[in-house]
Amino acid sequence: MKMKAVVLHGPENYPNNYEVMEIEKPVCGENDFLLKMKAAALCGTDKRIFTGGKTKGVRPDSVVGHEICGVIEEVGSNVRGYKAGEKVAIANVIPCGHCPACLSGRENACLNRQAIGYEFNGGFEEYVLIPEVCIKSGNVVKLPEHVSYAAGALIEPLACCIRGLRNTGTGFNDTVLIIGAGPIGLMHLQLSLAAGAQKVIVSELDAEKRELALKLGACRAVDSKNEDLRKIVMEETNGEGVDRIVMAIGVNALVDSTFKLAKKGGTVCLFAGFPKGKMSEFDPSVIHYNELNITGSTAYKRIDYLQAADMVIHGKIDLDAIVSQKFKLDDFREALDLHMAGTALKIVIED
Ligand SMILES: [Zn+2]
Ligand SMILES: [Zn+2]
């Protein structure tokens, strides 16, 4: 049996390095299940994968796509607890459980991690094989009727943001600044409010995204090109600066000015991926005198994923609001072109 898939041949020669084509439908082993893909979202990481900027774990002639939701099509004879027809979302990152990172409680930074969309074929295909190791690691979450497939796919990036929220330490009555109101910034905005933040200021150059940020609860959405972000942050915080800052865009040149917006004792999370090997210049005395905590965040733990799913199921986070365009698998090229252009918010492939 054949099926449609987006096959990425290799890291070079974008946009001629991939094609939407027919490949063999995966055979469901007795310990696996087969997922009918219903929604797979495009993410910033996919930009880097298709253009060769990220190659770790990406196999030649494979199918990527790591934000996945679908319906179980077929269940292996040894698999218990799942049946055909169930709507599920997949936590794509599978930690090994025995490396130093896993053993020290950082499975999100596992040294031997495997992932759907990397070592295993991912979501940009009609049927995705969910292997035994993924099922046994508890990486499958059942979703109720009222959660859309698109929202199901976006549980994955939300889980990453929950990990970031924990590293940032955002809590009750905190003032928060989020740099960038793309999908990730808008998730951080909603999560910060859910965690009890007193106010969230967002900095974003795109007017539509600023508008959506205000709709989702930001107290100010600052156009930092035409407005003085520092002045506004100080106005909003009695001249003290904010308790927590999340950099949801990886722009090296913004690091120094961002550090200077944090309150004494505040925390800055460099959440976004930054270009590898590119340096930032910053004034370390700001960290010293203001006793800043600087942190990062990578991927998610399974508990983050389960909590992300719970929040979506219980209506605490609106992920559908973040979806801007939907495309069919056949129109993947059009979707990726739009994604590369950088103007779209969140694009979801549905089938
Ligand atoms: Zn992603
Ligand atoms: Zn590990």
Side-chain angles (χ1 to χ4, degrees):
M1 278 265 283
K2 297 274 187 190
M3 66 166 189
K4 261 179 294 179
V6 178
V7 177
L8 176 63
H9 298 304
E12 274 137 40
N13 301 325
Y14 172 82
N16 301 315
N17 56 346
Y18 74 95
E19 54 192 316
V20 183
M21 59 186 282
E22 299 258 298
I23 62 170
E24 284 300 321
K25 183 178 168 183
V27 176
C28 181
E30 51 190 16
N31 300 310
D32 313 323
F33 68 67
L34 200 59
L35 187 76
K36 169 75 185 76
M37 186 276 280
K38 289 294 204 176
L42 279 163
C43 143
T45 308
D46 293 314
K47 275 189 196 173
R48 295 194 287 136
I49 291 174
F50 277 91
T51 54
K54 182 183 169 80
T55 51
K56 191 164 172 272
V58 182
R59 295 163 296 127
D61 297 317
S62 71
V63 178
V64 299
H66 57 271
E67 304 179 0
I68 312 166
C69 182
V71 170
I72 298 178
E73 172 82 5
E74 190 185 336
V75 181
S77 55
N78 292 338
V79 177
R80 298 284 169 267
Y82 298 97
K83 54 179 193 290
E86 285 179 320
K87 184 197 285 188
V88 292
I90 308 294
N92 77 308
V93 178
I94 307 156
C96 76
H98 55 73
C99 73
C102 283
L103 291 173
S104 64
R106 293 184 192 275
E107 65 173 51
N108 54 312
C110 171
L111 301 173
N112 314 309
R113 56 168 256 179
Q114 292 182 286
I116 313 278
Y118 296 85
E119 287 80 6
F120 303 102
N121 274 359
F124 300 139
E125 59 181 351
E126 273 183 281
Y127 296 95
V128 187
L129 184 73
I130 305 301
E132 178 180 13
V133 62
C134 181
I135 302 168
K136 287 202 168 147
S137 303
N139 285 43
V140 180
V141 176
K142 295 184 191 184
L143 295 177
E145 193 62 35
H146 71 269
V147 176
S148 71
Y149 291 116
L154 267 56
I155 291 171
E156 195 271 345
L158 181 64
C160 297
C161 293
I162 289 183
R163 176 78 350 235
L165 179 90
R166 292 194 199 294
N167 289 350
T168 313
T170 305
F172 177 70
N173 205 40
D174 280 339
T175 52
V176 178
L177 169 65
I178 294 166
I179 310 286
I184 292 295
L186 293 171
M187 287 182 198
H188 274 294
L189 160 64
Q190 295 187 65
L191 283 173
S192 301
L193 291 169
Q198 174 206 107
K199 58 170 74 173
V200 182
I201 303 164
V202 164
S203 168
E204 166 62 50
L205 300 181
D206 182 88
E208 262 176 67
K209 290 173 189 165
R210 284 200 303 276
E211 200 175 307
L212 186 52
L214 291 171
K215 237 164 79 186
L216 292 173
C219 80
R220 300 286 291 266
V222 183
D223 172 5
S224 55
K225 204 160 210 150
N226 298 305
E227 294 179 282
D228 186 341
L229 178 62
R230 185 178 169 78
K231 188 163 160 263
I232 292 168
V233 164
M234 293 307 160
E235 263 168 32
E236 290 287 339
T237 57
N238 299 321
E240 292 180 73
V242 287
D243 295 294
R244 318 280 167 183
I245 302 180
V246 178
M247 288 198 75
I249 46 170
V251 178
N252 292 69
L254 293 179
V255 170
D256 184 58
S257 57
T258 300
F259 284 176
K260 290 173 180 155
L261 299 174
K263 193 186 202 162
K264 285 183 187 288
T267 299
V268 182
C269 178
L270 306 181
F271 180 86
F274 284 78
K276 201 173 174 181
K278 212 174 154 208
M279 300 297 150
S280 284
E281 206 173 296
F282 59 86
D283 179 354
S285 77
V286 173
I287 300 174
H288 171 84
Y289 285 111
N290 293 342
E291 300 190 328
L292 298 188
N293 307 291
I294 311 297
T295 184
S297 192
T298 182
Y300 54 89
K301 300 180 185 180
R302 284 163 295 176
I303 183 68
D304 303 317
Y305 191 91
L306 298 178
Q307 290 187 330
D310 253 355
M311 296 199 83
V312 174
I313 289 168
H314 292 99
K316 301 293 181 196
I317 302 287
D318 185 354
L319 294 178
D320 291 298
I322 291 172
V323 176
S324 53
Q325 283 94 359
K326 292 177 180 175
F327 286 87
K328 291 285 175 200
L329 199 51
D330 277 324
D331 303 320
F332 185 86
R333 192 164 284 276
E334 203 185 322
L336 189 61
D337 287 348
L338 178 64
H339 186 48
M340 291 292 182
T343 47
L345 186 57
K346 190 72 174 175
I347 301 169
V348 174
I349 308 297
E350 289 197 331
D351 213 72

